[in-house]
Amino acid sequence: MSIRTRLLILVFAVWLPAMAGFGVLARSTYLHETQAATQHVRDLARSISLVVDSELDQRAAIAVTLGASRSLRDGALDRFYEHARRATEGSGNTVIVVDATRQVLNTRIPFGTPLPARGWIPDPPLLTGAPVATDLLKSRISGTPVLTVMAAEPGASPQRYNIGIAFGPEVIQRVLDMQKMPDGAIASVLDGQYQTVARSKDPQKWLGTRAASATVAAASNGMLDQQFESITHEGEPTVAFVARSARYGWTIAVGLPRSALDKPAIRVTVQAFLAAGILAAIGLVLALFFARLIGGPVLALSDAAGELGRDRVPAPLRTGLFEADRVGAALHAAGVRSARATDVLEQRVNEAIRQTQEAQTRLLDGQKHEAIGRLTGGLAHDLNNFLQTMSTGLQVLDRLVKEDTGRRVIEASTRALDKAATLVRQMLAFGRTQPLNPQPIDLHDFVLRCEDLMGRAVGGKVRLTADIEPGLPPLMADPTQFELALLNLVFNARDAMPEGGTVMIRGRLASATQSATLPAGRYLAVEVIDSGGGMDAEVLQRVFEPYFTTKAVGVGSGLGLPQVRAFAVQSGGAATISSQRGAGTTVSLLLPESRDPVKEAGHAAAISAEFMPLRVLFVEDDLLVSSVVVPALRAAGHTVRHCLTGDAAARTLQDGGLFDVVFTDVVMPGTMSGLDLAAWCQGNIPAMAVIVATGYTTQHIDASVKVLSKPYSIDVLLMELQYAVRVKRA
């Protein structure tokens, strides 16, 4: 078999596996891109559902807030009309009030104008529970399509009125238009009757039409987050997903055309065959080229061997092929050695031995250099990992370390300057009821810890003082929300004194007059007093109204004082304000007294008395957090097993993993959240201590579960782990 034939066989032996590899890679790439595209569509449906819920929630909040107005409660519809019209002026919203049979008020037309009967009457005629969103209807006043969020009149029994916020479908259409859609994807927002409210393609053409039958069937059968086949109104086959509004029953459908999914397959297949063809062509050209280069020197070697067989000394070869020339030289040397006798042969043998030793030395040197290179590469890789871990850890410390004075200053400065983050927290605290974690708080210690933060907040022109009555009992409140409320009040006091002044934080037992409207018990009054210009009676009556502010546009959000009142009421207390023009302002937080003492000092002392190395099951899907917390726990002497999801942690426990404590995040991917995992442990392994960590959650957390609020410090975590295990073992 010739060298050329062997080289061609070698080329095809290499090319065929490469071709198979290209095929596998093409299929893998196609499946990956298809999965990524469908996952994107699924996530997009969920995201649009959340944004639509948010838009409806905003109008529900307006309806509930207006429904609680005094003018409506007193039946003064003319005053309520003016109040509602001002509240929604310029927003595109229309406020309607209905009784059991008809509209009684509509801010779209002048007050007193005769109104038509109700266009939407539920069963029963008046809502008594949570707000609902109507289906797409035609307005009997304007004749245009309209949507309405209806809410019951708060505190009224029986219900006299329902309050609605009406708006056009263009509001939902704007939400849809802001979404970044994959190429060719079509998204629709459907009401409770599966009518199209908004659509990413030709919205006006399909407004009010019923969704495709496959989409209706999928939504009706509860196929949420499940892939199904559908056909668009334009007749194009799609892969679709539906998501359901959690509170209003609307459906969001997002479909991706089959043609868009097939494009990656065609592209990858063409690329694979093109690469395989190029590889085969290059291999064949190289095989023919090297066959020509090798064939000539081999024939020359054959001629030299023939000369040697005829007892002639062959001439040295100069073919350009190193190996062939070396063989030719050896043949030439063999002829010379044969002619020169034994002494010449001995010299050649010695020379061969020397060359062999040099080759061995070069081989050993090469192996040594290779070993050093591998060791150096491994060290560089590990050092890069260590540096990356330390860098990530330093970033996470800004969120995790809270109790240490230096870290508290960093966190407080960041929070005080980050007005956007503060506004979000205010809106969360005002707009919905967050699960609080009330704890006994020593007011003296609390004000002392916050002194640096609040001193920075008031700035150089304003002087901050404190007057805390000695011997006060601890108050019961969520420390984080209490700190936010107190900062809001200090900020407001500072802003009321642009030329400078004094802000005083005063703490004392509330008088009987202050707590007369609250449930029986003792309360602490925490007051923030400024020496600013004060307020007149009209402004004073509205300071707790959401979004009401006397500050310039862009300076105040109007959520500070409503958030303070919401926190106080949710904590079982109240918030009041008193002010006069030229005499300053006093805002009072009335918070219940704690019957339990502040436990931190005794808690820490009990734990520090004896350290126990623990076996910790750490459940956290955020790799940045786990990359810092896991080494810190291990450095403290604990054994740590890290799981990314609650499902994985439950399987580890079911498989017989032995641990002293489970430390888990609340919000995680998978079917089991951190709270689900805690409940599972209490039901299946009651002797297991469980601690959960969370930044924000609306889920109810059982009082028996210890909660660490993010960011938490490593010292606090170590202390709570020891304490939780000791309590379980007691």
Side-chain angles (χ1 to χ4, degrees):
M1 188 179 292
S2 67
I3 292 176
R4 178 179 298 179
T5 303
R6 292 176 184 271
L7 288 174
L8 291 175
I9 292 175
L10 179 61
V11 167
F12 281 102
V14 173
W15 180 78
L16 288 175
M19 183 63 185
F22 279 127
V24 172
L25 178 62
R27 176 168 176 77
S28 175
T29 304
Y30 167 69
L31 293 177
H32 175 74
E33 292 192 7
T34 300
Q35 183 180 9
T38 54
Q39 181 63 39
H40 186 191
V41 172
R42 180 188 291 110
D43 293 342
L44 182 62
R46 296 173 183 165
S47 174
I48 295 174
S49 174
L50 293 175
V51 177
V52 170
D53 267 0
S54 176
E55 286 291 333
L56 298 178
D57 282 342
Q58 291 179 20
R59 285 155 179 81
I62 295 172
V64 171
T65 302
L66 290 174
S69 67
R70 187 168 184 174
S71 55
L72 184 65
R73 188 167 61 248
D74 294 342
L77 295 180
D78 53 344
R79 284 194 292 117
F80 177 81
Y81 176 87
E82 292 300 323
H83 175 65
R85 187 177 58 80
R86 287 195 302 270
T88 57
E89 189 172 6
S91 66
N93 296 324
T94 300
V95 180
I96 65 173
V97 177
V98 300
D99 59 16
T101 60
R102 65 184 184 88
Q103 293 187 33
V104 298
L105 182 147
N106 189 311
T107 60
R108 189 178 183 88
I109 59 177
F111 181 76
T113 303
L115 296 171
R118 294 177 52 171
W120 172 75
I121 302 178
D123 186 16
L126 288 176
L127 295 175
T128 58
V132 299
T134 69
D135 297 327
L136 184 67
L137 302 172
K138 179 179 288 188
S139 171
R140 296 190 177 184
I141 293 176
S142 64
T144 59
V146 67
L147 299 160
T148 307
V149 176
M150 300 294 296
E153 181 184 2
S157 181
Q159 285 284 311
R160 299 176 303 165
Y161 304 114
N162 280 176
I163 300 87
I165 303 298
F167 58 97
E170 63 273 7
V171 172
I172 306 301
Q173 185 63 46
R174 282 196 299 270
V175 169
L176 203 57
D177 292 342
M178 293 173 64
Q179 306 304 311
K180 187 176 181 180
M181 306 288 292
D183 291 341
I186 299 177
S188 299
V189 179
L190 311 174
D191 62 15
Q193 297 298 320
Y194 305 110
Q195 299 178 101
T196 301
V197 175
R199 194 171 189 264
S200 61
K201 182 178 181 181
D202 299 332
Q204 293 301 322
K205 179 179 179 180
W206 303 108
L207 179 65
T209 60
R210 188 173 174 84
S213 58
T215 301
V216 174
S220 302
N221 296 330
M223 293 177 60
L224 305 179
D225 294 335
Q226 298 182 34
Q227 178 178 324
F228 65 93
E229 302 288 336
S230 183
I231 297 178
T232 66
H233 287 308
E234 291 83 1
E236 187 171 10
T238 62
V239 173
F241 293 89
V242 293
R244 180 64 54 81
S245 166
R247 289 178 290 281
Y248 300 97
W250 283 13
T251 301
I252 287 78
V254 182
L256 187 65
R258 271 289 178 190
S259 58
L261 289 176
D262 293 338
K263 286 180 181 179
I266 298 173
R267 183 185 72 251
V268 172
T269 302
V270 170
Q271 291 173 347
F273 278 105
L274 181 61
I278 293 174
L279 181 62
I282 292 174
L284 291 174
V285 171
L286 290 177
L288 295 174
F289 175 73
F290 284 112
R292 182 181 294 275
L293 288 180
I294 296 172
V298 170
L299 293 176
L301 283 175
S302 177
D303 294 340
E307 289 289 316
L308 186 61
R310 289 188 291 270
D311 296 328
R312 298 174 184 174
V313 178
L317 296 179
R318 298 291 186 268
T319 64
L321 184 63
F322 177 75
E323 290 81 358
D325 291 346
R326 287 289 300 271
V327 173
L331 292 174
H332 173 73
V336 172
R337 285 194 300 270
S338 297
R340 287 182 179 179
T342 305
D343 56 337
V344 177
L345 179 61
E346 185 177 351
Q347 291 177 359
R348 298 301 299 172
V349 170
N350 292 335
E351 179 67 14
I353 292 173
R354 186 184 64 80
Q355 291 179 355
T356 302
Q357 289 175 341
E358 290 178 354
Q360 186 176 8
T361 301
R362 290 195 297 271
L363 177 62
L364 292 175
D365 288 340
Q367 291 175 339
K368 181 175 65 176
H369 292 155
E370 180 182 6
I372 293 173
R374 289 182 178 178
L375 177 60
T376 303
L379 287 174
H381 172 75
D382 289 340
L383 286 174
N384 283 333
N385 282 342
F386 297 152
L387 291 174
Q388 177 62 43
T389 301
M390 288 186 287
S391 174
T392 304
L394 289 174
Q395 299 175 49
V396 175
L397 280 175
D398 284 341
R399 298 188 294 124
L400 293 183
V401 179
K402 186 173 183 181
E403 298 300 327
D404 180 79
T405 302
R407 294 297 90 198
R408 188 172 65 248
V409 171
I410 293 174
E411 179 195 355
S413 300
T414 302
R415 188 173 66 248
L417 294 175
D418 192 352
K419 297 179 67 176
T422 301
L423 179 60
V424 171
R425 293 177 65 186
Q426 290 174 341
M427 294 180 69
L428 287 173
F430 166 71
R432 63 180 68 176
T433 301
Q434 300 182 79
L436 298 181
N437 182 23
Q439 302 174 18
I441 298 174
D442 186 307
L443 190 57
H444 295 85
D445 293 345
F446 189 88
V447 173
L448 184 62
R449 288 199 305 269
C450 298
E451 180 181 6
D452 188 22
L453 169 62
M454 291 187 289
R456 291 173 180 269
V458 298
K461 293 184 179 181
V462 178
R463 188 167 64 94
L464 179 67
T465 64
D467 179 15
I468 310 299
E469 185 177 296
L472 283 178
L475 59 86
M476 180 63 74
D478 184 306
T480 302
Q481 294 298 323
F482 179 46
E483 181 180 3
L484 177 60
L486 201 58
L487 276 173
N488 271 327
L489 297 180
V490 171
F491 285 148
N492 283 348
R494 175 202 63 190
D495 295 342
M497 300 180 293
E499 303 301 324
T502 300
V503 177
M504 174 183 287
I505 301 175
R506 186 168 66 187
R508 55 191 174 84
L509 283 173
S511 65
T513 303
Q514 286 179 304
S515 59
T517 59
L518 297 173
R522 294 210 307 174
Y523 296 83
L524 272 68
V526 183
E527 300 174 336
V528 177
I529 307 166
D530 68 62
S531 58
M535 312 175 195
D536 56 33
E538 182 179 355
V539 173
L540 195 62
Q541 288 181 350
R542 301 187 60 194
V543 290
F544 287 119
E545 292 181 11
Y547 305 106
F548 173 78
T549 179
T550 58
K551 299 177 184 178
V553 175
V555 177
S557 64
L559 290 175
L561 286 176
Q563 181 270 329
V564 170
R565 169 176 274 184
F567 158 72
V569 172
Q570 194 175 353
S571 300
T576 62
I577 187 170
S578 61
S579 181
Q580 289 183 356
R581 277 293 185 189
T585 300
T586 299
V587 181
S588 301
L589 274 177
L590 303 179
L591 298 172
E593 173 191 355
S594 171
R595 297 183 180 180
D596 300 322
V598 178
K599 297 182 294 185
E600 284 76 7
H603 187 150
I607 293 172
S608 61
E610 180 182 355
F611 169 78
M612 292 189 301
L614 303 176
R615 295 166 297 181
V616 181
L617 180 58
F618 180 44
V619 191
E620 171 64 67
D621 65 303
D622 190 321
L623 296 181
L624 286 178
V625 176
S626 61
S627 68
V628 177
V629 175
V630 171
L633 291 175
R634 288 174 176 164
H638 302 305
T639 302
V640 184
R641 172 95 177 256
H642 177 218
C643 292
L644 291 173
T645 66
D647 302 297
R651 287 194 298 270
T652 299
L653 293 170
Q654 286 176 328
D655 291 341
L658 298 178
F659 300 94
D660 299 305
V661 59
V662 174
F663 178 45
T664 177
D665 193 16
V666 171
V667 180
M668 289 182 295
T671 62
M672 182 176 286
S673 69
L675 297 181
D676 296 332
L677 178 60
W680 184 90
C681 289
Q682 289 177 347
N684 294 273
I685 315 176
M688 177 71 69
V690 180
I691 299 176
V692 301
T694 181
Y696 171 76
T697 180
T698 58
Q699 292 181 266
H700 172 72
I701 302 178
D702 191 89
S704 62
V705 178
K706 176 62 183 176
V707 180
L708 287 183
S709 296
K710 290 184 178 179
Y712 52 80
S713 71
I714 295 299
D715 291 338
V716 171
L717 173 58
L718 294 174
M719 179 182 68
E720 294 297 345
L721 290 173
Q722 295 282 333
Y723 181 72
V725 173
R726 292 183 189 278
V727 169
K728 282 292 183 179
R729 293 180 178 179

